[in-house]
Amino acid sequence: MLEKHTGHDLCILASDAERNAAEERLRSAVETGRLPLDQLGGRLDEVHAARTRGDLEAACRGLPEPGPRDALVVDRPPTSGTFLAGIFGGFVRKGQWVVPARMTTWSMWGGGRLDLTEARFSSQDTVIRAVALWGGTKIWVPEDVEVEVKGFGLFGAFDKRAAKRIGKPGTPRVTVKGIALFGAVVTRTKR
């Protein structure tokens, strides 16, 4: 995240991480309608040419500082594989990570926990295929994403209480689908 700097800090040379944060801030501003698309190219050129933190702030002029959940969809590669398995054991994926567009979880005589509350998404639409065979998977989703749950339980439970279809334009969408056979897939909303 690009921090607000004053005085002497504005003369400090900009880092690559600060440039990346400024790029993400500009792209987010276009997505939310704060910055017209025809101005994005020129502003990105300013970011790439920036030598100091002050130059980066000038490139982001007129835009608010990003909030804690801004830019949920990021232009970065996923930081997790597309297959997570808990077979006679378990898996946990939580914290700050980038979710792949397609992911499969498999719980067999074991369990797993997939926490998306601090995650960012590599795609606007994410599909999670959850399979629980004599095991269980719990999926935590944040309040600010759309969630659709399509799975079913056969002698098991495929919980759909977190499913909601309401979302602001630009909100990421997560679809959880699959099967629970003598097991459970539980999707919950977490603040």
Side-chain angles (χ1 to χ4, degrees), residues 111-133:
R113 188 172 119 204
L114 193 61
D115 190 339
L116 307 176
T117 56
E118 293 181 44
R120 297 296 179 263
F121 300 89
S122 62
S123 174
Q124 194 66 33
D125 291 301
T126 301
V127 176
I128 299 171
R129 297 180 197 283
V131 178
L133 303 172

Side-chain angles (χ1 to χ4, degrees), residues 94-165:
K94 65 180 182 174
Q96 295 182 359
W97 60 295
V98 180
V99 181
R102 303 285 177 264
M103 173 178 267
T104 300
T105 66
W106 188 274
S107 299
M108 187 169 172
W109 292 296
R113 188 172 119 204
L114 193 61
D115 190 339
L116 307 176
T117 56
E118 293 181 44
R120 297 296 179 263
F121 300 89
S122 62
S123 174
Q124 194 66 33
D125 291 301
T126 301
V127 176
I128 299 171
R129 297 180 197 283
V131 178
L133 303 172
W134 296 280
T137 299
K138 187 172 250 187
I139 302 169
W140 291 101
V141 293
E143 291 183 317
D144 51 358
V145 301
E146 281 189 41
V147 180
E148 184 174 3
V149 181
K150 296 181 172 182
F152 67 96
L154 182 61
F155 301 110
F158 210 99
D159 184 23
K160 300 180 181 184
R161 283 181 273 180
K164 59 185 177 196
R165 297 183 186 270

Side-chain angles (χ1 to χ4, degrees), residues 12-150:
I12 293 176
L13 294 177
S15 69
D16 287 342
E18 289 168 326
R19 277 189 193 81
N20 291 340
E23 285 179 10
E24 203 164 292
R25 185 173 168 190
L26 291 172
R27 286 189 180 102
S28 177
V30 170
E31 289 173 7
T32 58
R34 292 184 190 275
L35 183 68
L37 182 59
D38 62 344
Q39 291 183 18
L40 179 62
R43 296 272 191 119
L44 286 174
D45 289 343
E46 288 180 48
V47 167
H48 295 184
R51 291 189 32 79
T52 66
R53 289 175 172 173
D55 294 339
L56 289 178
E57 282 200 16
C60 295
R61 65 193 168 278
L63 301 176
E65 290 291 325
R69 291 287 294 168
D70 284 346
L72 292 175
V73 179
V74 294
D75 189 18
R76 294 194 303 259
T79 56
S80 177
T82 59
F83 184 75
L84 297 172
I87 300 174
F88 292 106
F91 64 84
V92 175
R93 194 66 174 107
K94 65 180 182 174
Q96 295 182 359
W97 60 295
V98 180
V99 181
R102 303 285 177 264
M103 173 178 267
T104 300
T105 66
W106 188 274
S107 299
M108 187 169 172
W109 292 296
R113 188 172 119 204
L114 193 61
D115 190 339
L116 307 176
T117 56
E118 293 181 44
R120 297 296 179 263
F121 300 89
S122 62
S123 174
Q124 194 66 33
D125 291 301
T126 301
V127 176
I128 299 171
R129 297 180 197 283
V131 178
L133 303 172
W134 296 280
T137 299
K138 187 172 250 187
I139 302 169
W140 291 101
V141 293
E143 291 183 317
D144 51 358
V145 301
E146 281 189 41
V147 180
E148 184 174 3
V149 181
K150 296 181 172 182

